[in-house]
Amino acid sequence: MSKKVYFITNTLTGGGAERVMSILSNYLVEKDYEINFILLQSGEIVYDMSDKVKFHIRTNIVQKDMKAQIKFIRSFMKKEPDALFISFFTHQNLFTILASIGTRAKVLVSERNDPGNSFTPKLTKIGNIARNILYKNRHVKKIIFQTQGAADYFCNKIKKKGTVIANPLKDGLPEPYTLERKKTAVAVGRFNPQKNYVLLINAFAEFSKKHPDYKLEIYGDGSLRKSIESYISKLGLEDKIELCGFCKNVHERIIDAGMYVMSSNFEGLSNAMLEALALGLPVISTDHPPGGARAYIKSYENGILTPVGDALEMTKAMCYMAENPEKASEMGMKASQIRDELSTDNICKKWKSVFDGILE
């Protein structure tokens, strides 16, 4: 008998957590699981999904309609009392748990970002209280964390429900690049405050004074794109910094870059960073909470970590990569060894073991 799972998310138009959902669904649907998606908003599905996966898209949407979202999720929980309902985003986790109250639904939630930065400053106190109460609810059978640092943020009662599972690498990544690298620094990620692209641009501006032959390419899109464009213009760096937009074949575009640079203030566990490591790129990353970069980068062994918000140290790291190409390549080759550990098969087996334990 097949086991039924419902992934709950706003859209599948992009994003790291959504990519992991798509990988898991394609894996599980071939392992006697019936996979469904509850999409709370309409939009293009940008991931290659199995024809066996079913989609349930909410219509008649009103902005900030929390009650309507909960009601929509609850309707499936009532129809499918033996199914497992999975949510990956903190606010959505809370809605999903609230929807399950008074039903027989089994819920799995995952913290995909830094739990210390899940809520806006005004909502931090009440948000943390609500999360601490709801994560202890009996309907929550398991909580998946991406790093041990994220798990350690919570009290023991919640932590006992937890399992740490890293992100899987995308299948079909190109083999690590071993030839001479281009004089480019690259970054991949959404244009939002968390990514702190202003830090990256400031660091590159200083780096460029010593290495004027380098260019910076940023791949991604988002709400801050226009303000970032204005900031680049203000610094007079239009000819040195290119905003490349969302790119499906981004790995082929960045694989021969001189370095990959990540400037985030915080992250869950960045897929883009892990993929850069797997591609053998020389990687520079902020040592952001709750420790995703630190879990996979040993500074000056397989990459370089810099303090959050420190443009000077990021500039120094970029100069080191540019001025020590042999050492940079050596770090990249060591970094690419994560391929086996984070293969789709290895990570999906861990998820499947969790699902089997809940649904058996």
Side-chain angles (χ1 to χ4, degrees):
M1 188 177 82
S2 67
K3 299 170 182 178
K4 190 169 288 190
V5 166
Y6 284 82
F7 288 98
I8 302 165
T9 184
N10 279 331
T11 67
L12 288 168
T13 57
E18 293 90 339
R19 186 187 70 82
V20 173
M21 286 183 177
S22 71
I23 290 171
L24 284 173
S25 65
N26 286 337
Y27 177 87
L28 291 166
V29 81
E30 301 300 331
K31 304 291 183 183
D32 202 31
Y33 270 77
E34 182 183 323
I35 303 299
N36 298 265
F37 273 83
I38 297 174
L39 299 180
L40 298 169
Q41 297 176 17
S42 59
E44 180 190 4
I45 297 172
V46 300
Y47 303 99
D48 294 325
M49 306 286 280
S50 169
D51 292 339
K52 299 176 185 177
V53 176
K54 300 173 184 176
F55 299 94
H56 310 274
I57 303 172
R58 189 168 69 105
T59 56
N60 301 320
I61 296 166
V62 178
Q63 292 298 317
K64 298 182 180 178
D65 55 345
M66 181 182 76
K67 289 182 180 178
Q69 286 191 33
I70 291 171
K71 185 177 179 181
F72 188 68
I73 297 165
R74 187 178 177 84
S75 68
F76 290 93
M77 291 177 166
K78 286 182 174 180
K79 285 188 290 187
E80 302 288 354
D82 297 320
L84 174 62
F85 291 83
I86 301 167
S87 172
F88 270 32
F89 300 95
T90 302
H91 289 77
Q92 196 58 62
N93 293 348
L94 304 187
F95 297 167
T96 300
I97 299 165
L98 286 169
S100 73
I101 294 171
T103 73
R104 289 167 44 199
K106 304 175 184 71
V107 174
L108 179 149
V109 297
S110 184
E111 283 286 330
R112 311 305 294 180
N113 214 325
D114 174 22
N117 283 283
S118 296
F119 305 100
T120 61
K122 286 185 179 180
L123 294 177
T124 295
K125 185 175 181 180
I126 190 168
N128 282 331
I129 291 170
R131 180 169 56 183
N132 287 336
I133 292 170
L134 289 173
Y135 277 16
K136 295 171 188 174
N137 186 277
R138 64 182 181 85
H139 291 281
V140 181
K141 304 302 180 185
K142 206 72 178 175
I143 304 169
I144 303 297
F145 301 104
Q146 295 174 294
T147 64
Q148 189 58 48
D152 290 341
Y153 179 86
F154 293 93
C155 67
N156 284 334
K157 189 169 183 179
I158 290 174
K159 197 156 61 170
K160 282 179 182 176
K161 292 187 176 188
T163 296
V164 176
I165 303 178
N167 292 350
L169 291 168
K170 181 180 179 179
D171 279 336
L173 285 175
E175 289 299 309
Y177 185 80
T178 57
L179 302 177
E180 185 176 354
R181 294 189 169 275
K182 288 166 36 178
K183 292 187 176 182
T184 56
V186 296
V188 180
R190 287 176 175 166
F191 285 78
N192 62 26
Q194 172 183 340
K195 303 300 181 183
N196 199 353
Y197 281 135
V198 170
L199 170 69
L200 172 58
I201 291 165
N202 287 339
F204 179 78
E206 288 301 311
F207 166 80
S208 186
K209 292 175 183 176
K210 289 187 70 175
H211 299 278
D213 47 349
Y214 270 76
K215 291 193 173 182
L216 172 63
E217 298 173 354
I218 305 176
Y219 293 84
D221 224 325
S223 60
L224 294 183
R225 178 174 177 134
K226 286 189 176 179
S227 65
I228 293 297
E229 286 175 343
S230 297
Y231 191 65
I232 292 168
S233 296
K234 180 182 175 183
L235 297 180
L237 293 171
E238 302 98 315
D239 61 334
K240 291 185 178 293
I241 302 177
E242 181 180 1
L243 305 186
C244 304
F246 179 79
C247 180
K248 279 194 172 183
N249 65 332
V250 68
H251 305 109
E252 287 78 7
R253 296 277 295 273
I254 70 173
I255 191 168
D256 59 350
M259 65 190 82
Y260 179 96
V261 190
M262 185 173 193
S263 51
S264 296
N265 293 331
F266 58 93
E267 287 283 343
L269 179 58
S270 168
N271 290 313
M273 179 200 70
L274 294 178
E275 288 164 0
L277 292 168
L279 290 173
L281 279 159
V283 173
I284 298 165
S285 174
T286 52
D287 187 11
H288 46 257
R294 194 184 321 135
Y296 292 94
I297 296 175
K298 290 184 172 60
S299 215
Y300 290 93
E301 290 186 27
N302 65 343
I304 301 176
L305 295 174
T306 65
V308 171
D310 194 327
L312 177 60
E313 287 301 314
M314 183 163 282
T315 300
K316 287 180 181 177
M318 294 173 77
C319 288
Y320 183 89
M321 292 295 196
E323 294 161 11
N324 298 276
E326 288 186 8
K327 180 63 176 176
S329 292
E330 181 184 320
M331 283 192 271
M333 286 302 101
K334 285 183 179 177
S336 70
Q337 294 172 8
I338 68 167
R339 281 176 173 250
D340 289 338
E341 178 187 351
L342 300 183
S343 70
T344 293
D345 193 55
N346 278 345
I347 298 301
C348 287
K349 279 179 180 175
K350 292 181 179 180
W351 277 93
K352 183 177 179 296
S353 177
V354 171
F355 293 169
D356 288 345
I358 296 172
L359 291 171
E360 66 185 11

